[in-house]
Amino acid sequence: MNKSKLICVICRGFNKFFDAPKADGRTPVTFRTAIVIKKRDFYDEWDVYDALFWRIIQRITIDLNASIRIICPESETGEMQSLEELRTWQKKQAASDPEFGIDVPTEIRFMKGTSILCLMTLEDWSDIGKVEPYSCSYTFSFYSYEKEIDESINGSIKAQLSNEEEVGEIRTAQECTSPQWYWSIFAMIKSDKFLICVGFSVLVVIALVMIYQRCVSM
């Protein structure tokens, strides 16, 4: 394995780390395919992987015969309608700000007319280790409602990665076919708010016991 080459992982299904979004604003999505772009070097910035990412996005867009909306909160409109529009905006920003850097895309909507076919969201594991296959990666999840759309996205990612000279290995991983009901409970138990509430409740119980004992002894 050439260490100068990228390792990419295609994950199918859901996991406990991120909730399934409501892409249409009403109903949770039913399919997920994710592309995990493993960093070659921990200290790499996003611009090292930006061109590869957008070639994957363009392949998916063409295969779905879709249009895209690139969420860009920093811009005046809040979104871009194409990669060309985004690049033009980035060049203007770079010209006026010497310290301007290309940010990791966080959300893209693939549209057919006014209907959403797929929602892509960033899962940033770039500085997080130990959780495989996601550790030290930029992971992008593609959420959809139809099996045909999900299969098309999977095929597009595989085809594009296979044509990329900088990609040395393409791995696959199968996760849960649907979100599990207990994930949210486990997440709540591990949260800081839950621990604070438990700690506060214990203190209240101790205080009540002490008050009761004092009243009984009087």
Side-chain angles (χ1 to χ4, degrees):
M1 175 65 188
N2 189 338
K3 292 185 178 180
S4 66
K5 297 279 189 177
L6 281 174
I7 296 174
C8 292
V9 186
I10 301 174
C11 296
R12 311 292 301 279
F14 298 84
N15 59 56
K16 64 182 178 181
F17 302 112
F18 292 87
D19 294 332
K22 297 178 180 179
D24 62 1
R26 301 183 302 274
T27 310
V29 294
T30 48
F31 295 95
R32 171 184 177 265
T33 290
I35 171 65
V36 181
I37 303 175
K38 306 282 281 186
K39 294 171 67 176
R40 278 178 295 223
D41 188 295
F42 180 81
Y43 298 101
D44 281 348
E45 297 294 339
W46 167 248
D47 59 352
V48 175
Y49 310 98
D50 186 73
L52 169 65
F53 168 80
W54 285 108
R55 288 194 294 271
I56 295 171
I57 294 299
Q58 288 180 309
R59 180 65 176 261
I60 293 172
T61 304
I62 291 171
D63 291 348
L64 288 178
N65 190 26
S67 60
I68 59 174
R69 295 178 184 173
I70 306 165
I71 304 306
C72 185
E74 298 84 2
S75 66
E76 292 181 1
T77 60
E79 67 177 32
M80 303 291 179
Q81 304 295 323
S82 67
L83 175 58
E84 291 74 21
E85 184 180 352
L86 177 64
R87 292 301 193 212
T88 299
W89 178 81
Q90 289 173 337
K91 287 180 180 179
K92 289 181 179 179
Q93 297 303 307
S96 61
D97 181 3
E99 297 183 359
F100 175 79
I102 299 176
D103 291 330
V104 187
T106 57
E107 183 177 321
I108 298 175
R109 296 169 187 167
F110 296 80
M111 309 294 296
K112 178 75 71 173
T114 58
S115 299
I116 186 166
L117 298 178
C118 170
L119 171 67
M120 185 224 79
T121 61
L122 165 69
E123 298 174 8
D124 191 357
W125 295 84
S126 59
D127 61 352
I128 301 174
K130 297 183 179 181
V131 180
E132 294 297 346
Y134 300 106
S135 65
C136 296
S137 77
Y138 292 105
T139 293
F140 300 91
S141 288
F142 296 82
Y143 294 101
S144 58
Y145 292 99
E146 299 179 17
K147 183 177 181 179
E148 293 76 11
I149 299 296
D150 185 59
E151 291 293 345
S152 176
I153 291 167
N154 178 53
S156 299
I157 294 173
K158 281 184 177 179
Q160 189 59 45
L161 290 178
S162 298
N163 290 332
E164 295 289 341
E165 292 185 1
E166 64 182 306
V167 176
E169 184 178 356
I170 304 170
R171 301 173 183 172
T172 59
Q174 181 63 55
E175 300 182 287
C176 294
T177 55
S178 62
Q180 303 299 299
W181 63 270
Y182 52 82
W183 286 346
S184 59
I185 297 176
F186 287 167
M188 180 188 68
I189 292 174
K190 292 180 180 180
S191 69
D192 292 338
K193 288 184 179 180
F194 179 80
L195 294 176
I196 291 172
C197 289
V198 170
F200 180 75
S201 299
V202 170
L203 291 175
V204 169
V205 171
I206 292 174
L208 290 174
V209 170
M210 292 177 66
I211 292 172
Y212 174 75
Q213 291 177 336
R214 179 174 296 180
C215 291
V216 170
S217 62
M218 290 178 63

